[in-house]
Amino acid sequence: MTSPLFHLSGVRFSVPGRVILEPLDLGLAPGRIYGLIGPNGSGKSTLVKMLARQLQPSGGSISFDGKPLADWSDKSFARRVAYMPQFTPAADGMNVRELVSLGRFPWHGTLGRFTAQDGEKVEAAIERTGLGPFADRLVDTLSGGERQRVWLALMLAQDTSCILLDEPTSALDIAHESEVLSLVREVSRERGVTVVVVLHDINLAARTCDDIIALRAGKLVAHGPASEIMAPEILGGIYGLPMGVLSHPTRGEPIAYVL
């Protein structure tokens, strides 16, 4: 049996006067896509931020590739794990190629030299995400969907084995939403990259992801293959609403709806 890439044991998170995430145990296998779903305030972003070392757990332990998360150096961790926050930083005055080049920072550092190999990784990431025609455009002049592809290109240039995405489609229209998630799935399959993605739409999660991790009020309420989570009784327990499931008329995949 494959050892988990991430292993969480009794992990919890709280702030004064409020428990945000109850203790949970979880193992994430390499090479799979995990959709993190649940109502607002359920602890999804908190969990992914802890995996990304952006937040320190209030208790319990998290290990990555068999080593405690705290024992990884910043550079070594950044060579293995890429993280896209819900609100990406401003890219004032930077063009697409310059922003994507930042993905190589963990490999050469502040005083390191940007090598020919770094340049090749950047150009390959730009081409893979279909950004070749925009490479010299300022990032701030692009549409929301195009900007998300730039950030994905940065993560591809980073050349990691794991990608963490916090609501990457929250501000996108349906066409760009589908485009970004299709790209994420293709890259995961091509490179064997593990992906954890926070999503609000259960149908998008089921179509994109291998496994679903569902939180509600800070508790882990469901975890399993997407096909198994797409059942009325399980979805009802996640969202607190009566739910139904039907088959997509052309693809046959399950689609959830509120009764």
Side-chain angles (χ1 to χ4, degrees):
M1 185 175 180
T2 304
S3 299
L5 188 64
F6 276 104
H7 183 263
L8 293 76
S9 179
V11 171
R12 59 186 176 84
F13 188 83
S14 60
V15 295
R18 184 185 173 203
V19 175
I20 296 176
L21 201 62
E22 302 275 2
L24 64 83
D25 301 316
L26 195 61
L28 304 180
R32 294 184 70 78
I33 305 175
Y34 293 90
L36 196 51
I37 68 162
N40 288 341
S42 59
K44 303 184 299 296
S45 290
T46 297
L47 178 54
V48 81
K49 285 177 182 176
M50 288 194 293
L51 296 178
R53 302 206 317 176
Q54 302 296 304
L55 285 177
Q56 181 74 25
S58 301
S61 63
I62 304 177
S63 63
F64 176 75
D65 201 16
K67 186 163 73 171
L69 218 54
D71 290 353
W72 287 84
S73 70
D74 290 343
K75 180 178 285 189
S76 295
F77 191 70
R79 289 180 174 183
R80 298 291 305 280
V81 179
Y83 167 62
M84 182 194 292
Q86 183 176 353
F87 303 105
T88 53
D92 297 337
M94 298 185 73
N95 67 31
V96 169
R97 183 175 284 107
E98 289 168 340
L99 183 58
V100 175
S101 295
L102 294 182
R104 299 304 299 165
F105 184 81
W107 297 94
H108 61 77
T110 305
L111 300 178
R113 189 169 61 87
F114 191 85
T115 66
Q117 183 183 33
D118 291 324
E120 290 169 3
K121 296 281 186 181
V122 168
E123 295 305 317
I126 288 172
E127 291 304 315
R128 181 62 188 83
T129 50
L131 291 168
F134 306 101
D136 297 316
R137 284 265 303 273
L138 292 176
V139 175
D140 290 343
T141 67
L142 302 179
S143 70
E146 290 162 350
R147 285 197 299 272
Q148 288 299 75
R149 278 195 284 146
V150 176
W151 284 97
L152 284 174
L154 183 156
M155 300 172 93
L156 295 187
Q158 197 171 331
D159 204 19
T160 63
S161 58
C162 181
I163 293 175
L164 308 174
L165 305 166
D166 191 357
E167 298 191 36
T169 62
S170 60
L172 303 184
D173 60 38
I174 190 169
H176 285 110
E177 189 177 64
S178 178
E179 177 186 80
V180 166
L181 290 179
S182 293
L183 181 58
V184 168
R185 186 170 177 83
E186 289 168 8
V187 167
S188 174
R189 294 293 180 260
E190 291 167 5
R191 300 189 177 198
V193 173
T194 305
V195 177
V196 181
V197 54
V198 177
L199 294 168
H200 274 294
D201 188 326
I202 180 59
N203 292 318
L204 273 179
R207 190 168 74 224
T208 305
C209 305
D210 302 309
D211 296 274
I212 300 293
I213 300 166
L215 300 175
R216 179 175 175 82
K219 296 180 181 179
L220 179 65
V221 293
H223 176 209
S227 58
E228 294 180 8
I229 300 300
M230 293 294 280
E233 63 278 9
I234 294 177
L235 295 174
I238 295 170
Y239 293 104
L241 293 168
M243 302 282 289
V245 176
L246 52 77
S247 296
H248 190 283
T250 57
R251 294 195 298 266
E253 65 196 29
I255 299 174
Y257 59 93
V258 178
L259 292 172

